[in-house]
Amino acid sequence: LTQTANLSNASIDSMQQALATIGGTAKNAGVSMQDASTAIGLLTNKGFSSAQASQDLNHALIQMQAPSAQAKKTMDQLGISFTDAQGNMKSLPSILQEISTNMDGMSSSQKAEALKKMFGTAGMGAILPLLDSIKDKSGNTTTSWQAFSDQIQKTSKDGATATKSLEDQSAEMQQNIGSKLKRLNDNW
């Protein structure tokens, strides 16, 4: 949460609220907290407020889980599926990559029309900038999905390593204090 706020134009409080807004829908869709945070963070870097980013992304996720007949027709025409062979939602980056790849060569108005049919106006508002982010291989954490996500992952791993180290040090200190107290008791 803190790292997402640091990498984006969101505050910790607004990210907390954004994740609370989208949490249930994201969990039901199988979207990880890291992917939801990455998406919201990147959208805030595109000028969205955290609240607007979470609402628009929430709408898009709902449309992915239960596409309308019109959305399903557009998806079929483009060869896009939001689910795997077992019927489970694909990861959000995989879905975005698939949409991006299958819409390559379309004009901006054709892309907007297809996205509006699949996600509605609100959902399209979130998906369109995320398609740019998923294609961005610049390594810039402000605009690139991969760079943003990698930085969150690195920080999470560093945080887990630091926590483990502190736990180990604490256990060693307790053991040392315990043995010193035992020696003191034996000498008494």
Side-chain angles (χ1 to χ4, degrees):
L1 189 64
T2 303
Q3 185 60 25
T4 301
N6 288 340
L7 292 170
S8 69
N9 289 326
S11 68
I12 292 173
D13 287 341
S14 66
M15 275 304 299
Q16 193 172 25
Q17 184 59 47
L19 290 172
T21 298
I22 198 170
T25 304
K27 182 179 179 187
N28 190 57
V31 174
S32 71
M33 184 175 184
Q34 180 176 335
D35 285 346
S37 296
T38 297
I40 292 167
L42 287 166
L43 288 170
T44 65
N45 288 344
K46 295 281 189 175
F48 287 66
S49 68
S50 299
Q52 189 66 53
S54 66
Q55 289 169 1
D56 289 355
L57 185 59
N58 192 55
H59 186 80
L61 292 176
I62 290 169
Q63 298 303 313
M64 286 180 197
Q65 293 176 79
S68 67
Q70 181 183 29
K72 187 71 177 129
K73 182 179 176 185
T74 302
M75 291 165 56
D76 290 343
Q77 289 170 344
L78 294 171
I80 295 171
S81 175
F82 300 142
T83 57
D84 62 20
Q86 291 76 38
N88 298 315
M89 287 285 292
K90 295 176 183 175
S91 72
L92 185 55
S94 296
I95 291 169
L96 293 169
Q97 187 61 58
E98 186 174 338
I99 293 168
S100 177
T101 300
N102 291 11
M103 294 180 101
D104 248 3
M106 293 173 74
S107 70
S108 60
S109 61
Q110 289 171 321
K111 287 180 185 178
E113 180 183 352
L115 291 172
K116 187 174 180 182
K117 287 179 182 176
M118 287 189 286
F119 301 108
T121 304
M124 178 188 80
I127 297 298
L128 197 54
L130 291 177
L131 292 177
D132 291 337
S133 294
I134 207 78
K135 291 190 311 189
D136 184 338
K137 304 300 181 205
S138 68
N140 183 342
T141 57
T142 305
T143 59
S144 167
W145 182 286
Q146 189 63 52
F148 196 105
S149 184
D150 287 350
Q151 187 62 42
I152 291 175
Q153 185 66 34
K154 180 182 180 289
T155 304
S156 296
K157 189 180 287 185
D158 291 348
T161 301
T163 299
K164 174 76 171 115
S165 176
L166 289 172
E167 288 171 350
D168 291 347
Q169 289 174 12
S170 174
E172 185 178 336
M173 287 169 63
Q174 288 174 356
Q175 185 178 12
N176 290 341
I177 290 171
S179 67
K180 287 181 181 180
L181 288 175
K182 182 170 177 3
R183 273 190 276 155
L184 180 62
N185 188 37
D186 290 345
N187 290 337
W188 195 258

